[in-house]
Amino acid sequence: MLKAAVILIGGPQKGTRFRPLSFEVPKPLFPVAGVPMIQHHIEACAQVPGMQEILLIGFYQPDEPLTQFLEAAQQEFNLPVRYLQEFAPLGTGGGLYHFRDQILAGSPEAFFVLNADVCSDFPLSAMLEAHRRQRHPFLLLGTTANRTQSLNYGCIVENPQTHEVLHYVEKPSTFISDIINCGIYLFSPEALKPLRDVFQRNQQDGQLEDSPGLWPGAGTIRLEQDVFSALAGQGQIYVHLTDGIWSQIKSAGSALYASRLYLSRYQDTHPERLAKHTPGGPWIRGNVYIHPTAKVAPSAVLGPNVSIGKGVTVGEGVRLRESIVLHGATLQEHTCVLHSIVGWGSTVGRWARVEGTPSDPNPNDPRARMDSESLFKDGKLLPAITILGCRVRIPAEVLILNSIVLPHKELSRSFTNQIIL
C-alpha cells in the first residue's frame, strides 16, 4: 500500500527570487498553466494506484488561500489532502522526520516525496515499478544537464548497470556528473532511520553540557547534504532516470517556462483545458489556457504559451504571447504583452506595450536547463521577463521593457531595465 505522498512546500522565507509575485500568494499556489503550481503534483499523485493520502509539509501559516485550496483539492481528487505545519523551517528532511508518525501510519510499503518548486511529467508509476523490482530505502528521480549547468544542481554518479548512486554532491564547484537530482523521490519506511541518525547527531553536536533538553536546531535536516551525500555508495540510494519534461521553478522567468511545458503537456493529459479557435472568438495560436470567467474580445490574438486567469478582461486588438495574466487583470484595447507576467488586478492601458526578454534554455542543446537566474550583474538589472505586481496601473501608450513593477504602482511614463519601487 502507498499510504501517502509528501509535497514539501517550504515557507515564506524561501522563494525570494519569486518576488514580487510571492507577496500576494504563497509560491506553491502561484498559477502555472492555469492551476496552482502544486496542483500538478497532486494530480500526478492521485493517479498512482493505491494512493491513500497526500500531505503538504511546510512553514506557511494556514491562511485562507491555502485552506481553500486544500478543500477544493480534496473534493476534486476524492483524496485526503492535509497540511502539516512545521514549528520552524526544518530543511528538506526535517519535516519528514518530525511528522514521521503521520507519514508511516498504516505501515505503507513506500511513500513519495516531491519538492513543490519543480515542473515535471512526474513518472511516479515508473518509479514505483522500479522500486518494486529492486527495493532500497531511497530512489531518486534523475535527469541530465549539460556540463556547465549541472553545477547548479545536485549531481549524481551512478553505476550504469545497477543504477546505484555511488557519489552525490550538491551544487559542486567542478564537474562531477551530467546526471542531476530532480527533487522527486520514492522512500521506503527504512529511509527515515538515517534521518533519525542525523537528528541525534545534530542534538549531540549542538547541545551544551549545561543546557538540558532538546537543542532547537537539531530538527533541521538537509536531505541532499546530510543524507544523500553521506549514504552514497553504501547500497541504499538508487536513481531512476527520466527523459521527460523537468525544470525547477525558482523565479518568475522559470514559472513562465514551466507554464509552456505544462500547456504543451495538456495536449495529452488535459485537452479540455486548452482554448480552441472558434468562429467569433479570439484568434488562438498554439497552446493557450483561458479561464471560463475571462472575457476576451474576438479580435484579440493569443498565444503561443498564454495563460489567462479568472475574471481577466482582454480588449479588442490585444496581442498576447508567452505570458501569464493573473486574476482580475485588464488589458485594454490594442495592448501588446510579450514575455511578461501581469499581476492580480493590474490594468494595462490602450496601445501600451509590456515586454520582457525570455530566459529559456538553449533550444539547440537537448541537455540545457534554465540558468540559475540572478536579477543583477555589476549593479545593473539584467534583461529578463517583465513582471507587473498586484494592482499596477500602466497608462495608455507607455512602454515597459525588461522591468519589475512592485505592487500598487501607478506609472506615468515608460521604463526600461528598471525596478520600480
Side-chain angles (χ1 to χ4, degrees), residues 307-331:
S307 176
I308 295 177
K310 180 180 178 181
V312 168
T313 299
V314 178
E316 296 288 350
V318 167
R319 180 68 176 103
L320 258 174
R321 187 178 76 216
E322 299 284 342
S323 296
I324 296 174
V325 184
L326 297 170
H327 176 98
T330 298
L331 307 182

Side-chain angles (χ1 to χ4, degrees), residues 44-370:
C45 293
Q47 293 174 6
V48 177
M51 185 65 65
Q52 299 293 311
E53 184 177 36
I54 297 173
L55 304 175
L56 277 56
I57 296 179
F59 189 51
Y60 288 100
Q61 292 297 320
D63 56 8
E64 184 177 355
L66 183 55
T67 301
Q68 290 180 346
F69 171 78
L70 294 174
E71 293 173 352
Q74 289 189 97
Q75 292 180 359
E76 180 172 354
F77 300 106
N78 197 27
L79 269 177
V81 182
R82 294 193 293 134
Y83 177 51
L84 305 177
Q85 184 185 4
E86 298 171 339
F87 63 90
L90 297 178
T92 51
L96 297 175
Y97 182 70
H98 183 71
F99 294 109
R100 61 194 179 280
D101 291 340
Q102 299 196 51
I103 295 171
L104 297 182
S107 302
E109 63 167 299
F111 57 94
F112 288 102
V113 177
L114 301 86
N115 285 322
D117 58 354
V118 297
C119 159
S120 175
D121 53 7
F122 298 105
L124 305 184
S125 294
M127 293 179 68
L128 183 58
E129 291 175 7
H131 169 77
R132 286 172 172 167
R133 287 195 303 267
Q134 194 175 27
R135 295 176 186 266
H136 298 285
F138 300 91
L139 181 63
L140 283 54
L141 185 68
T143 189
T144 54
N146 63 39
R147 290 178 64 96
T148 301
Q149 292 179 322
S150 67
L151 306 182
N152 299 321
Y153 303 94
C155 291
I156 298 167
V157 178
E158 68 155 353
N159 180 320
Q161 283 74 43
T162 65
H163 302 296
E164 180 190 353
V165 175
L166 303 177
H167 189 47
Y168 183 94
V169 181
E170 185 68 18
K171 296 181 181 178
S173 57
T174 59
F175 177 74
I176 299 293
S177 169
D178 62 356
I179 300 175
I180 61 172
N181 177 9
C182 291
I184 300 170
Y185 316 118
L186 182 58
F187 291 172
S188 297
E190 295 77 19
L192 293 178
K193 294 178 181 177
L195 274 65
R196 178 196 61 196
D197 296 339
V198 174
F199 176 85
Q200 292 175 345
R201 184 169 64 247
N202 288 347
Q203 181 64 29
Q204 293 170 357
D205 292 345
Q207 187 176 5
L208 299 175
E209 293 182 1
D210 58 350
S211 300
L214 292 176
W215 177 55
T220 302
I221 300 172
R222 305 167 301 172
L223 276 178
E224 301 81 5
Q225 294 93 332
D226 297 334
V227 179
F228 297 159
S229 294
L231 296 182
Q234 298 183 26
Q236 298 192 56
I237 308 178
Y238 285 73
V239 60
H240 177 80
L241 295 176
T242 179
D243 57 2
I245 67 168
W246 182 85
S247 182
Q248 285 187 324
I249 308 178
K250 296 293 187 183
S251 64
S254 56
L256 197 53
Y257 178 64
S259 183
R260 181 197 302 168
L261 295 179
Y262 280 135
L263 287 171
S264 177
R265 183 163 164 73
Y266 283 171
Q267 296 277 3
D268 298 320
T269 61
H270 291 285
E272 75 282 358
R273 291 181 181 171
L274 294 176
K276 304 292 191 296
H277 180 63
T278 57
W283 187 264
I284 304 297
R285 296 181 175 178
N287 298 319
V288 173
Y289 169 84
I290 303 176
H291 192 276
T293 62
K295 298 178 180 179
V296 182
S299 60
V301 181
L302 313 179
N305 184 23
V306 165
S307 176
I308 295 177
K310 180 180 178 181
V312 168
T313 299
V314 178
E316 296 288 350
V318 167
R319 180 68 176 103
L320 258 174
R321 187 178 76 216
E322 299 284 342
S323 296
I324 296 174
V325 184
L326 297 170
H327 176 98
T330 298
L331 307 182
Q332 296 180 354
E333 294 82 357
H334 304 290
T335 62
C336 181
V337 178
L338 312 174
H339 303 286
S340 300
I341 296 178
V342 178
W344 300 267
S346 291
T347 299
V348 181
R350 298 170 61 251
W351 294 101
R353 185 180 183 95
V354 176
E355 184 173 356
T357 299
S359 54
D360 298 344
N362 181 356
N364 299 316
D365 182 353
R367 295 190 174 192
R369 301 291 171 186
M370 288 289 295

